[in-house]
Amino acid sequence: MTGSIPAEGTRTAQGTAPVRRTRPARGTTPQAVLLDMDGTLVDTEGFWWAAEVSVFAEFGHELTEEQRQVVVGGPMSRSAAYLIASTGADIALPELTTRLNTRFEELIDGDVPLMPGARRLLTELAAHDVPTALVSASHRRIIDRVLRSLGPESFRLSVAGDEIPRTKPHPDPYLYAAAALGADPRRCAVVEDTLTGVTAAEAAGCAVVAVPSVAPIEPAPGRHLVRSLTEVDLPFLRSVVERLQ
């Protein structure tokens, strides 16, 4: 856990800062919208892969597309451990995670590009006072960095992968976010771009909208696949939650 200062107006899994909006009545749908970060709201999956390729090249290892499919959307600890095991690189896990986070920050070097439709969706949710949470497997230092581009005021809460004992694909991050917002997970809509995140959200009992980025996501009962966030708005999220009831 990094111990960084929470963004103003945003609650984090580490503590709380003032919340400025009023939650809508519990009977409304959705009671909350929980959003993944990398590949869902911001176009950063390519930056993460570039960071991994770059760091492992320094140890004389060339990563493959097959390895990319394994690590996409995964928590840092799991992805880094897999890459060490699959390459035999002589580096300890804590050192590797630090290097990957640092290289990622070097690569983005400024504003992070948003996915098509992301800004419009966040603006719409804010306009209707829908509680939102940013739920990511990335570490707190990365979330706080990306929040500069997304706008910390867009979220009541942010949950980082190094703040929860079990992160995605376990349901814990989404259960934590729903509880912190005072919402029933079954009346929450989750937007995710990887199977790892979708698995976590479905295990938490949430209504899930999947927007595949790098790796495909197969259709499944109760799983709503869209091509981009341009297809997602509040009426659509309301409908997917209502279908779950």
Side-chain angles (χ1 to χ4, degrees):
M1 196 174 297
T2 63
S4 59
I5 299 173
E8 182 182 359
T10 303
R11 285 193 294 168
T12 75
Q14 299 175 340
T16 61
V19 177
R20 297 193 179 97
R21 300 191 187 101
T22 302
R23 185 171 67 246
R26 291 187 59 83
T28 60
T29 56
Q31 287 182 354
V33 176
L34 317 176
L35 301 120
D36 175 55
M37 187 176 77
D38 295 296
T40 299
L41 290 176
V42 289
D43 191 8
T44 50
E45 291 292 6
F47 289 102
W48 277 117
W49 180 240
E52 289 157 349
V53 168
S54 173
V55 169
F56 275 87
E58 294 173 357
F59 292 91
H61 297 284
E62 183 177 348
L63 300 185
T64 67
E65 184 62 28
E66 181 180 355
Q67 289 167 317
R68 183 182 189 183
Q69 297 300 315
V70 174
V71 301
V72 64
M76 173 67 75
S77 57
R78 189 192 72 184
S79 298
Y82 163 77
L83 290 174
I84 290 173
S86 63
T87 62
D90 184 19
I91 185 171
L93 182 59
E95 181 185 353
L96 178 57
T97 57
T98 298
R99 285 201 186 195
L100 290 174
N101 281 326
T102 299
R103 188 61 49 83
F104 174 80
E105 289 179 300
E106 292 170 350
L107 289 171
I108 58 176
D109 188 30
D111 286 342
V112 178
L114 271 60
M115 299 297 285
R119 178 63 66 203
R120 190 259 324 146
L121 177 59
L122 292 175
T123 300
E124 181 181 12
L125 295 174
H128 289 84
D129 290 326
V130 177
T132 59
L134 187 65
V135 183
S136 176
S138 289
H139 288 188
R140 170 56 54 190
R141 62 180 283 193
I142 300 299
I143 288 183
D144 287 346
R145 178 74 171 72
V146 173
L147 276 170
R148 300 177 198 170
S149 297
L150 285 172
E153 70 281 354
S154 299
F155 306 96
R156 302 269 189 94
L157 172 77
S158 62
V159 181
D162 56 339
E163 295 172 339
I164 299 293
R166 299 194 311 170
T167 188
K168 306 172 188 179
H170 298 287
D172 305 35
Y174 284 113
L175 292 174
Y176 176 90
L181 294 174
D184 179 349
R186 289 183 56 83
R187 300 189 75 87
C188 292
V190 168
V191 185
E192 274 279 2
D193 74 304
T194 66
L195 183 58
T196 297
V198 166
T199 300
E202 289 178 340
C206 303
V208 180
V209 176
V211 193
S213 58
V214 175
I217 299 174
E218 296 298 322
R223 184 182 297 171
H224 304 271
L225 270 67
V226 297
R227 290 168 295 184
S228 81
L229 291 181
T230 60
E231 301 178 31
V232 181
D233 57 14
L234 184 53
F236 177 73
L237 294 174
R238 183 178 293 118
S239 71
V240 301
V241 171
E242 288 174 346
R243 290 175 206 167
L244 190 64
Q245 306 313 305

